[in-house]
Structures are given as C-alpha cells and as structure tokens.
C-alpha cells in the first residue's frame, strides 16, 4: 500500500514527544500532584508524670504548677492537668488520649504554668515535641530539660497504639492534607420545645470541634449544620449564654453532662435525642450525621490550573507569530521552542501607575506586546493593570486612548475623593458589602478612596471578569501579588508568604492551595466551601494589593533600616531557646527537633505586642482554614522554596491554622511582583523588570529578589552591580547565567534619566532649549514623583511617560537579543533531550 503523505523522522520524533508528554503529564498529576487514599489512625497517649526544680515566681510561696497539652492536628481543644499547689516538684500522673493520623505532621505543645488566683497565669516553659519520633507499639519516656540552670525538668511518658478499625480518607498534595469531614444536621421542632424556648432566650448549640463552633437558637431557626473533622470525636452540647457581667460567656447549666458524641450516631439515619438544658429541662432534637465526600472546593496542587494551561496553549500561537515578525525568522517556531516572556512591574503609587503605561506603550510600538505571556504587578502598578484589562482587547488597540484617560485622572485634584458626596457613596458601598456577608475594615475604605481618585465612573467589574481578556490568548495573563503576614504577633520581615491573584485563581503557592477567583472572600473549612459570599468588586482588591496601612512599628523600623543599614532594632519579645539546631528536622524520621524554650518576661512580651500590633489591619477569610500539614511538608520543594522564617518549622502556627488572612502590600518585604514568574511550572525564559523605586532603593528590589532566590535555590541570575552603577545607573541591565539555561534572563530597567532629556527620540537630539525643558527631577525631596504625591502636573505626567517609552526603545536591541538567546536555549534543550532518548535505546 502506497503512502501519500510520508512522515519525516523529525515529525515522528515530535509526535512521540507529544504522546509521551501526555502520558508523563497524566502520570505526574495522578502520582505526584494529588493523592487520595485511606490511612489508619493511631491512639496516642500522653502521661504527664512530674516536674522537678521549678523556680518559684512568688517570693513567699512555691509555684502552683499545671501543664496544658495542645495537639491541634488531633483536636482544637486544650487539655489541662490539675494544679499542684505550693511546690517546686509537682507530681501529676495524669493521662490524656489523642486519636492521631500519622500522615499528618503532629506536633504536641506542652506548656508549664504557674497558676495565679488574681493575675494571669504565668507561662514558665514550653516544650515542642514531634510525635513522628514514636512508632506504633512503642512506650517512650522523655525527661525534658526545661532550663539548664537549676536543672528544671518535665517528665512525660508517650505511648502509641494501632487502631485497626479506624481508617480515614485523606486528600493531599504532600504539603497540605484535607481530612474527612462530617456534617451534623440538627432539627428542632418548635412546638415540642415551646415552653423551653419561651423560658430561655439565649440557648446555644455547641460543637466546639466544628467550623461553626456555636449557633444561637432564634425564633426563626429550625435547622442547624455543624461541619467537623470526623475523627476528632466532636460532641454536641446545649448551653445557655449568659448576659451577666462577671459570668462565663457560656454557662453550662447541665453540670456533669458531656454531650452527644457524633461518632456514636449512625451515619445517614435520623436519631431523636433530649439534651439536658437544666436539671429539670431538656431540649428535644433530631440529629443526623452525613459524610462529606466528593471533590474539594480548594485545589490542592503545585501545578498550574487547567484554565491557565489552556490559556498558555492559545497564547503560544500568538507569541510564535509575533516573534517570527519581530525577529524576522525564516521558519515557524515549534511549540516547545516558543520562549515565555514576562513583564514584571514593581509598586510605587502614582509613579508606578504612570510609568507602567509608558513601558507598555513602548513595547506596543516595538510590536513586542504580543510576545509577552505574563504581566505581573504589585501595589501602584496594579492600578494600571486593572484599567487595561477592563478592555478585553486592550493590547490590540492604540494605548494612547487609555493613556489619555489615565492622564486626566492623575492630573486632576483628588479633593473630590473626600467630599460629602464621596463619603455618602463610601457609606452606601460599605453597607452593601456588609449585607453581602463581607466583614469590612479600613482597607475597604481605602479601596473606595483609590477608586474615587482615579476613576470617573462607578465600576462593578470583578477580577474574574478579566477572563474575557485572555479567553483566546489575545492578551498576556495578568497576575497581581500581595503578602500574607501575621496580624498581631510578628513583623513582615519575620513572617511573610506570597499570595497571587489571577483572573482564574487566588492562591498561596507555598502551600499549593488555590481557589477560584470568584470565591475569594468566601468562607472555607478543610477544603470545602462553607459560606458562599459574592465576589468583591475589583476596587476592593486594589486596596488589598496596595494595602499600605497595615504597618506595625517593626515594619516601619525595618523600612527605615533598609535606607539606613546602621540602624538596628532590638528583638525584645522573642522566646529564649534552650535547645535549638541549625537543621530543624531530623534526617532519619523527618521529625522536628524537640525544642524547649522560656517565654519572654512580662515587659518584653508587652513591648513585643506593641511593636507587632497592626492598628489598622485588614483581614480576609482564610481559604486554607482547617487544612493540615503533611508529615513531610517541609521536604517538599515548593514549600521549601519560600521558607522565609523560623515559623515554618512549627506547623501549629502556620497559615492553615488561622481563621483569617492578613494581606498587605508586597513592598512590606520586597517591592516586586516577581515571585509568580519564578514558579517552575511557568517556565519563564525572559523577564522585563520595570523598577519604579527612586534613588536609594533603586536596586533594592532586584538585589533582594536575587538574595532570596539564592537562599532558596530558585533559579535566578546573579546580580552584580558596581559602585559606579549605583551612582550613575544605566537605562538597562542584562543579568543572565550563560551556563544554566534554567535561569531566566532578566532585563532590569531602573527609573533613570540618562539620555532622555537630551534626545527627542533614540538617535535624535533635542535643541538646547528643549533640553532644559526636558530635564526631570527624580532625586530631590521636592521631586513631583515622590510617593506621597497623588496628583501630577500634566507636564510631569508626560515627562515620566515619555521617559519610560524612550528607555525601552533606546534598549530594544537588548530585548531582541534576549529573545533570540531564549529561543536558542529552547532549541538546544530539545536537541539534548533527543540525544538522551536516542542513547537510552
């Protein structure tokens, strides 16, 4: 039989690559991205035996010691021993049982307290113990040396036993783990409880182990739902809420009654119960427990979402055609030869907003905008991105139309944003936001002020609406960045996590946890969507991305220290570790080193709270809430890539344990939007780095990004700058690693005026009169481009726009050379893979 269309060896090779590539992707997704399996549970017993040589806090008497036990991977309840009065050698011999899942990182925290009747109990010592050290069937005695001076110690016995019948279904990406969730449905017939409800107005249903924790019975309520971890052995109780001052929040009137165990109820069947409310009164309820199965609402995976992968396929065609024209290529680029070019913009308020328009305008004039796959922004540069992506075809239209619109808003007075009409508008918007179910903060007000200052018309657009602007790959994919920090315990330098926003997803790449963009602001638990809240208008996200008001005093000081390195800030509120190691985990068992530490004294503790408190914070529901850390989370390459702080070694205090996120401007740490581009999955070849910092901080962003990447072993070129570079910076710097093609080529454009004021266009000089008129003030304290200036004169806006336009066009050859190098690298990598495959046969 004849062959009409002969197949070349090259085409056959590419076909084989595609086939094996699909198989590899499927295998990777199935085996490495997500695991769904059943795992046995174990019974972990802790016996607190005794303590010795405990120093007394009071001069006239010994300590009244007790020990608290906290194992949040097994229960969110705190267990406490009895207090032994007036002795430095208390003996307890009390045992506590925990049902644990060994696939999760289980960290037990033991705290030794001195009980005080009048004042707050004194925390004497803390022990952090990783249960991974103990094997099933083992009994282990530990004598923790709490303090080397005086030989203070705590003696504890641990036992681990198998439970064959208890098996749990887990979903994990090997960083986060989602556990089985049960839903308790409580039905209450009002007519059967009529007398009880009339007599008691503050009846509360309690399941302390649940997402909801407590729900008040009202005249309208008949059905209640409680979601909780199935293996936590949750209990349903009925209490009366006390309104009297001096009494407990919940007054348990049915003394001695432990409640109804949800595990004792048959699944899927209705059970009638009568729960004691007082000694003589009972509340009649109908209960039913159901298992929650099915796909999670939080995507657990470190790969790119399906929507972004589909976008990349479409965008590659656009980029390939654009590169062929710009580089005047003789042949079509194969899909695997198309480099990924990304634009990275820093923050910088109105300066960043204005300058970014100039850079993008220059790329459009050079026909390079269609070569770009990603655009990332932080703080002020996100204001530009928001405006651009309101038009689904913005990059294919003359940008001067959008620039004129931005010029009008930037050069007008901002006083109208504080007028009485504006204040009424803000009030209406915030009231509507409350009605939708959002909690509001000063960040929301700041968002509305930004929107009013730079937009003439009311706009109800949302971030997910920008999917239209990338639906066929017609524009680069926009990614906005923010930092997640601790709200009231640490500075941004001590703890920070990158959070990225795209039209498709919002997520914390460090954990491999993502949600659909339209669900950001809704409430989640253990990967399930608990309470759907309407998606916020994009103006409220702008306030998050440029949230400059969540500073604490340490952040302010660190920002000053970045300008004046000789300034040093003491760290008064940190614990004194009595047993610490450079490597936080033991190699053999992947177990955390046992850590004993003394808390700071009262004065240091108060000072630390003052220094780290964020008086104007902005919180958002945490979509990772309830999810737990995998036993080997610390060894995962994605997590380790951004393990910025010591807190990463203590999973009990990481983000999944928080009810809310505290998202702030990326400039709190590094004024950059680069992190999304450094994810291996995006495989970025060339980064155009547009830096809108001024003078002293002109190279801080690129240098600090390099430093971070070197510490975390993320591919990034070495940044080498001479003193001359810092004094008289060039318009463009090219940083690359010629030996390692995995390292992206970075073209860094600082905001400088080298030759712009002398040239009308690249290669054509101004007249002497025009030179004087074209001079720019980018350095003095009176510069029109300082951060606090929100209104520019028309001439200043035009100069900044033209400066950025000029600097790109004057260095266009460097961009073209970088793209040619990236294509050669990709072709070279393909040839190497061909040779390796051939040699393996």
């Amino acid at each position: 039989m004849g062959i009409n269309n002969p197949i070349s060896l090259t085409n056959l090779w590419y076909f084989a690559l595609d086939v094996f590539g699909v198989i590899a992707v499927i295998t990777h997704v199935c085996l490495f991205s997500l695991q769904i399996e059943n795992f046995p549970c174990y019974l972990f017993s802790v016996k607190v035996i005794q303590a010795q040589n405990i120093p007394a806090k009071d001069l006239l008497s010994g300590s009244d010691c007790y020990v608290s036990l906290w194992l949040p991977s097994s229960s969110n309840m705190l267990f406490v021993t009895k207090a032994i009065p007036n002795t430095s050698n208390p003996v307890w011999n009390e045992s506590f049982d925990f049902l644990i899942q060994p696939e999760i990182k289980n960290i037990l925290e033991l705290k030794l307290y001195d009980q005080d009747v009048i004042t707050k109990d004194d925390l004497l010592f803390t022990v952090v113990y990783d249960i991974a050290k103990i094997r099933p069937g083992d009994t282990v005695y530990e004598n923790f040396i709490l303090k080397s001076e005086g030989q203070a110690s705590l003696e504890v016995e641990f036992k681990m036993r198998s439970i064959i019948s208890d098996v749990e279904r887990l979903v994990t990406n090997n960083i986060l783990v989602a556990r089985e969730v049960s839903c308790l449905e409580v039905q209450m017939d009002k007519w059967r409880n009529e007398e009880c409800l009339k007599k008691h107005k503050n009846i509360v249903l309690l399941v302390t182990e649940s997402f909801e924790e407590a729900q008040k019975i009202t005249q309208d309520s008949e059905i209640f739902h409680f979601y909780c971890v199935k293996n936590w052995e949750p209990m349903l109780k009925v209490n009366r809420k006390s309104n009297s001052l001096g009494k407990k929040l919940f007054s348990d009137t049915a003394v001695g009654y432990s409640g109804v165990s949800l595990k004792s109820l048959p699944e899927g069947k209705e059970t009638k119960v009568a729960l004691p409310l007082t000694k003589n009164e009972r509340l009649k309820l109908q209960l039913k427990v159901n298992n929650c199965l099915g796909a999670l609402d939080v995507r657990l995976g470190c790969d790119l979402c399906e929507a972004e992968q589909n976008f990349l396929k479409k965008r590659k065609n656009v980029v390939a055609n654009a590169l062929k024209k710009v580089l005047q290529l003789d042949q079509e680029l194969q899909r695997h030869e198309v480099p990924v070019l990304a634009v990275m913009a820093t923050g910088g308020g109105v300066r960043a907003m204005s300058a970014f328009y100039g850079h993008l305008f220059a790329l459009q004039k050079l026909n390079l905008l269609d070569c770009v796959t990603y655009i990332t922004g932080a703080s002020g540069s996100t204001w530009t991105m928001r405006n651009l992506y309101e038009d689904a075809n913005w990059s294919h239209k003359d940008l001067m139309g959008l620039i004129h619109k931005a010029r009008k808003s930037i050069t007008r007075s901002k006083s109208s944003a504080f007028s009485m009409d504006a204040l009424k508008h803000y009030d209406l918007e915030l009231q509507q936001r409350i009605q939708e179910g959002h909690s509001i903060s000063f960040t929301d007000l700041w968002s509305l002020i930004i929107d009013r200052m730079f937009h003439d018309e009311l706009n109800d657009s949302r971030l997910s609406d920008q999917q239209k602007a990338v639906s066929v790959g017609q524009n680069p994919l926009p990614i906005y960045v923010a930092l997640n920090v601790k709200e009231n315990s640490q500075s941004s330098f001590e703890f920070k996590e990158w959070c990225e926003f795209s039209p498709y997803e919002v997520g914390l790449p460090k954990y491999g946890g993502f949600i659909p963009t339209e669900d950001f602001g809704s409430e989640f638990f253990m990967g399930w969507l608990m309470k759907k809240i309407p998606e916020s208008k994009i103006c409220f996200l702008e306030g998050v991305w440029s949230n400059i008001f969540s500073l604490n005093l340490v952040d302010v000081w660190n920002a000053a220290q970045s300008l004046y390195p000789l300034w040093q800030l003491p760290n008064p509120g940190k614990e004194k570790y009595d047993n610490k190691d450079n490597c936080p985990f033991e190699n053999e068992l992947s177990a955390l080193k046992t850590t004993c530490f003394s808390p700071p004294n009262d004065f240091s503790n108060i000072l630390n709270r003052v220094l780290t408190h964020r008086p104007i914070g902005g919180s958002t529901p945490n979509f990772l809430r309830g999810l737990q850390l995998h036993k080997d989370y610390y060894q995962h390459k994605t997590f380790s890539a951004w393990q910025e702080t010591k807190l990463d070694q203590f999973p009990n205090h990481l983000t999944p344990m928080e009810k809310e996120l505290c998202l702030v401007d990326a400039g709190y740490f590094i004024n950059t939007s680069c992190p999304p581009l450094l994810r291996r999955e995006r495989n970025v070849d060339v980064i155009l780095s547009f830096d809108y910092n001024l003078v002293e901080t002109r190279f801080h962003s690129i240098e600090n990004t390099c430093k971070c990447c070197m510490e975390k072993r993320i591919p990034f070129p070495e940044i080498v700058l001479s003193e001359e570079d810092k004094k008289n910076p060039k318009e463009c710097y090219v940083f690359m690693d010629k030996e390692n093609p995995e390292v992206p080529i970075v073209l860094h454009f600082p905001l400088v005026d080298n030759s712009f004021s002398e040239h009308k266009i690249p290669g054509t000089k101004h007249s002497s009169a025009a030179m004087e008129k074209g001079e720019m003030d980018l350095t003095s304290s009176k510069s029109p481009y300082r951060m606090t200036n929100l209104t520019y004169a028309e001439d200043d806006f035009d100069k900044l726009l033209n400066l950025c336009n000029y600097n790109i066009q004057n260095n266009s050859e460097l961009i073209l050379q970088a793209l040619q190098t990236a294509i050669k690298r990709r072709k070279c990598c393909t040839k190497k893979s061909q040779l390796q495959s051939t040699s393996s046969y």
Side-chain angles (χ1 to χ4, degrees):
M1 184 172 67
I3 301 176
N4 296 325
N5 296 310
I7 301 175
S8 68
L9 289 176
T10 303
N11 289 336
L12 186 62
W13 166 252
Y14 289 134
F15 174 75
L17 274 181
D18 288 341
V19 172
F20 287 118
V22 170
I23 295 173
V25 168
I26 293 173
T27 304
H28 174 79
V29 171
C30 293
L31 295 182
F32 301 103
S33 293
L34 201 64
Q35 295 179 9
I36 306 173
E37 296 182 43
N38 293 324
F39 295 93
C41 296
Y42 294 88
L43 186 64
F44 176 63
S45 298
V46 183
K47 184 178 182 180
V48 182
I49 301 173
Q50 63 179 348
Q52 293 184 333
N53 304 314
I54 304 302
K57 283 278 187 178
D58 300 324
L59 297 176
L60 301 178
S61 65
S63 297
D64 304 325
C65 292
Y66 68 90
V67 177
S68 71
L69 301 88
W70 188 47
L71 185 55
S73 57
S74 174
S75 170
N76 62 6
M77 294 185 66
L78 189 71
F79 297 91
V80 180
T81 68
K82 60 180 178 289
I84 308 299
N86 196 24
T87 178
S88 59
N89 300 297
V91 177
W92 293 280
N93 285 320
E94 290 189 52
S95 295
F96 303 87
D97 291 333
F98 300 89
L99 190 65
I100 68 161
Q101 173 51 251
E103 291 299 305
I104 290 167
K105 179 57 71 175
N106 296 287
I107 305 294
L108 174 66
E109 291 189 17
L110 300 163
K111 293 188 176 183
L112 181 65
Y113 286 91
D114 178 12
Q115 187 180 63
D116 286 319
V117 177
I118 301 175
T119 61
K120 183 180 177 181
D121 295 350
D122 297 314
L123 174 60
L124 303 179
F125 303 103
T126 298
V127 177
V128 178
Y129 189 80
D130 191 344
I131 295 172
K133 304 170 189 289
I134 305 171
R135 304 293 180 128
D138 287 352
T139 298
V140 176
Y141 290 89
E142 295 277 8
N143 190 36
F144 301 111
I145 305 301
L146 303 177
K147 196 171 185 179
S148 54
E149 306 92 8
Q151 290 297 305
S153 63
L154 177 66
E155 187 179 345
V156 184
E157 175 192 270
F158 300 111
K159 289 183 181 180
M160 187 77 73
R161 287 174 285 174
S162 300
I163 305 176
I164 300 175
S165 61
D166 230 321
V167 178
E168 186 175 11
R169 176 181 176 270
L170 304 179
V171 181
T172 180
N173 62 359
N174 294 324
I175 301 175
L176 294 174
V177 179
R179 304 182 67 172
E180 278 191 78
V181 172
S182 293
C183 175
L184 171 65
E185 182 181 289
V186 182
Q187 290 189 9
M188 182 193 66
D189 293 329
K190 292 183 180 179
W191 65 270
R192 297 178 63 195
N193 299 284
E194 188 174 359
E195 292 185 10
C196 191
L197 294 175
K198 284 182 179 179
K199 186 175 180 181
H200 305 287
K201 301 296 184 183
N202 296 309
I203 303 175
V204 177
L205 297 175
L206 289 173
V207 181
T208 55
E209 301 281 28
S210 70
F211 167 77
E212 295 81 3
E213 295 182 359
Q215 296 187 62
K216 184 179 178 182
I217 295 176
T218 65
Q219 291 296 324
D220 300 325
S221 55
E222 292 185 357
I223 299 179
F224 305 86
H225 292 93
F226 292 90
Y227 291 86
C228 44
V229 179
K230 181 180 177 181
N231 272 11
W232 274 8
E233 300 188 358
M235 307 289 292
L236 171 66
K237 296 182 180 181
V238 178
N239 285 343
R240 288 188 302 158
K241 187 176 181 181
S242 174
N243 293 324
S244 304
L245 293 174
K247 291 187 178 180
K248 289 195 246 179
L249 181 62
F250 294 110
S251 177
D252 191 353
T253 52
V255 178
Y257 180 69
S258 59
V260 175
S261 171
L262 272 61
K263 293 194 77 172
S264 67
L265 300 174
E267 289 184 10
K269 295 182 179 180
E270 294 181 349
T271 304
K272 294 182 179 180
V273 298
L275 302 185
L277 183 61
T278 65
K279 291 181 180 180
N280 302 317
E281 294 173 300
R282 293 176 179 271
L283 197 65
K284 297 173 184 177
L285 305 171
Q286 195 166 281
L287 310 179
K288 185 168 70 172
V289 173
N290 295 310
N291 269 351
C292 296
L293 299 174
L296 297 177
D297 298 304
V298 174
R299 183 176 73 85
L300 298 183
C302 299
D303 52 340
L304 304 179
C305 68
E306 184 179 356
E308 184 172 340
Q309 293 181 36
N310 290 335
F311 160 80
L312 290 174
K313 293 176 184 176
K314 298 169 185 174
R315 188 63 182 173
K316 270 190 181 295
N317 295 330
V318 176
V319 173
N321 292 332
L323 285 173
K324 184 180 179 182
K325 294 176 183 177
V326 171
L327 299 178
Q328 299 180 355
L329 302 176
D330 296 330
Q331 296 180 336
E332 300 281 347
L333 289 173
Q334 300 293 329
R335 293 186 63 84
H336 57 275
E337 296 173 346
V338 179
V340 177
L341 171 64
V343 166
M344 189 286 302
T346 69
V350 178
R351 180 176 66 245
M353 180 184 183
S354 307
F356 201 11
Y357 278 112
H359 281 136
L360 294 174
F361 181 66
L363 292 178
Q364 187 182 63
K365 289 299 179 185
L366 294 169
N367 297 315
L368 287 170
L369 205 47
D370 275 347
C371 301
V372 178
T373 300
Y374 292 104
I375 292 180
T376 63
S379 194
S381 59
T382 66
W383 303 349
T384 299
M385 293 167 64
R386 173 254 173 105
N387 292 340
L388 293 175
Y389 282 87
E390 287 179 359
D391 187 330
N393 294 291
W394 70 267
S395 65
H396 296 275
K397 297 179 179 179
D398 188 348
L399 283 181
M400 282 310 300
L402 285 170
I403 289 172
H404 284 312
K405 188 176 180 181
R407 184 176 186 262
K408 181 180 177 182
S409 67
I410 290 171
T411 56
R412 73 183 179 199
S413 170
K414 304 300 183 293
S415 60
S416 62
F418 304 96
S419 66
M420 187 57 66
D421 286 342
L423 295 177
K424 290 178 181 178
H425 166 69
Y426 302 155
D427 182 59
L428 289 174
E429 287 287 332
L430 294 176
Q431 290 299 327
Q432 180 182 345
R433 193 160 171 78
I434 292 171
Q435 291 174 7
E436 290 176 346
H438 295 277
S439 58
I440 63 170
S441 66
F442 182 80
T443 304
D444 297 296
L445 178 58
W446 167 237
S447 303
L448 292 169
I449 293 172
I450 296 174
D451 193 52
R452 188 80 170 195
M453 286 193 293
F454 299 111
H455 298 91
D456 293 321
E457 302 170 357
L458 295 177
N459 193 320
D460 293 337
S461 67
R462 289 156 171 78
L463 180 56
S464 63
D465 294 336
Q466 294 184 5
Q467 293 177 18
K468 299 172 187 174
V470 291
S471 58
V472 292
Q474 70 270 39
N475 298 303
L477 183 69
I479 303 177
Y480 309 79
V481 300
L483 278 181
N484 178 48
V485 299
K486 289 291 183 182
E487 188 165 6
N488 287 314
S489 59
Q490 288 166 317
S491 73
S492 305
F493 277 65
E494 292 172 307
F495 182 84
K496 60 272 175 181
E497 298 169 335
W498 295 103
C499 183
E500 63 178 50
F501 297 73
S502 83
Y504 301 126
E505 284 191 324
V506 177
L508 293 165
K510 169 181 174 178
Y511 299 100
F514 301 86
I515 58 170
T517 299
E518 55 267 26
D519 289 339
F520 180 72
S522 296
E523 296 183 21
F524 289 79
F525 176 69
M526 198 58 75
W528 295 87
L529 179 60
M530 295 286 107
K531 183 181 179 182
K532 173 68 176 175
I533 296 176
E535 182 182 359
S536 295
K537 296 177 184 178
I538 197 169
C539 71
F540 290 108
L541 294 183
E542 275 186 305
V544 171
W545 302 327
S546 52
N547 180 5
I548 59 174
F549 295 104
S550 287
L551 284 167
N552 56 33
L553 293 178
V554 180
D555 287 333
V556 174
W557 192 277
N558 284 329
Q561 190 190 358
S562 67
L563 298 177
Y564 307 100
L566 295 178
W567 293 13
Q568 297 293 330
L569 180 68
N571 207 0
K574 298 303 162 192
E575 299 86 351
K576 298 178 181 178
Y577 289 84
D578 295 292
N579 178 16
K580 51 187 176 181
D581 198 290
N582 291 330
C583 178
F585 285 86
E586 296 176 356
N587 294 328
E588 293 183 2
L589 298 176
S590 183
L592 182 71
K593 291 282 186 182
T594 300
T595 307
C596 306
F597 57 86
S598 307
N601 59 45
D602 291 342
F603 174 75
S604 295
N605 210 12
I606 293 171
L607 181 57
N608 184 64
R609 286 201 298 268
V610 170
L611 292 175
T612 59
H613 176 63
R614 301 180 190 275
I616 310 179
S619 299
T620 303
N622 179 13
F623 53 85
L624 299 185
R625 181 181 172 187
L627 292 166
Q628 298 181 348
L629 277 297
H630 188 267
K631 63 178 182 179
D632 299 321
Y633 79 94
Y634 203 86
Q635 297 179 353
H636 197 285
K637 63 180 181 180
T638 299
F639 185 90
S640 298
W642 291 99
Q643 59 166 35
E644 336 258 18
T645 68
K646 291 180 180 178
L647 202 63
D648 285 338
Q649 304 165 19
F650 301 97
N652 293 357
H653 302 276
L654 286 177
T655 298
M657 293 296 298
E658 303 286 350
K659 288 186 177 181
E660 295 179 318
L661 302 174
C662 182
L663 297 173
V664 299
D665 192 309
Y668 276 48
F669 174 43
I670 301 176
N671 184 15
T672 183
S673 61
C674 211
L677 305 177
L678 302 179
R679 290 178 58 188
R680 288 180 175 87
E681 299 80 14
R682 293 201 166 105
N683 198 19
V684 174
D685 299 279
V686 181
I687 299 174
L688 302 183
S689 171
F690 299 147
D691 194 328
Y692 303 125
N693 289 299
L694 293 178
V695 198
E696 293 92 346
T697 59
R698 188 173 275 142
F699 293 105
H700 280 197
S701 296
I702 192 75
E703 288 180 319
N704 287 333
T705 300
C706 174
K707 181 181 177 182
C708 258
C709 290
M710 288 181 66
E711 291 175 356
K712 316 309 173 192
R713 298 180 182 178
I714 297 173
F716 197 81
E718 185 178 1
I719 306 300
V720 180
L721 295 164
S722 66
E723 288 302 317
E724 179 61 23
D725 287 327
K726 294 181 178 180
K727 289 181 181 178
N728 300 295
K730 296 184 293 186
E731 294 165 349
C732 178
Y733 292 83
V734 179
F735 302 108
M736 63 184 295
D737 187 335
K738 295 181 180 180
E739 305 298 324
N740 188 356
E742 290 186 3
V743 175
I745 302 168
V746 177
L747 285 81
H748 186 65
F749 290 84
L751 198 59
V752 295
D753 178 9
N754 273 357
S755 58
F756 163 69
S757 58
E758 299 177 0
H759 291 79
K760 187 176 182 179
I761 58 173
T764 304
K765 285 196 171 185
H766 281 300
S767 63
S768 57
M771 284 185 191
E772 290 183 13
K773 189 177 180 181
E775 289 180 358
M776 295 185 66
D777 180 5
L778 294 171
T779 58
S780 77
S781 59
K782 295 182 179 180
S783 169
Y785 308 112
R786 60 191 181 276
M787 183 70 74
T788 54
N789 189 13
L790 300 176
T791 303
Y792 289 176
E794 292 182 355
D795 188 48
D796 291 328
F797 175 84
D798 293 340
K799 283 181 183 178
L800 184 58
L801 183 85
N802 293 330
L803 167 70
C804 295
N805 176 21
Y806 173 87
N807 284 351
I808 292 289
Q809 297 207 42
N810 200 37
N811 293 276
S812 59
E813 284 301 316
L814 293 177
I815 300 175
L816 296 178
Q817 289 171 16
L819 289 171
Q820 289 171 336
T821 302
I823 293 172
K824 289 178 182 178
R825 282 181 168 185
R826 287 206 165 227
K827 288 184 176 181
C828 182
C829 288
T830 302
K831 289 180 180 179
K832 283 183 179 179
S833 63
Q834 290 177 0
L835 292 172
Q836 289 172 358
S837 298
T838 304
S839 62
S840 65
Y841 286 101

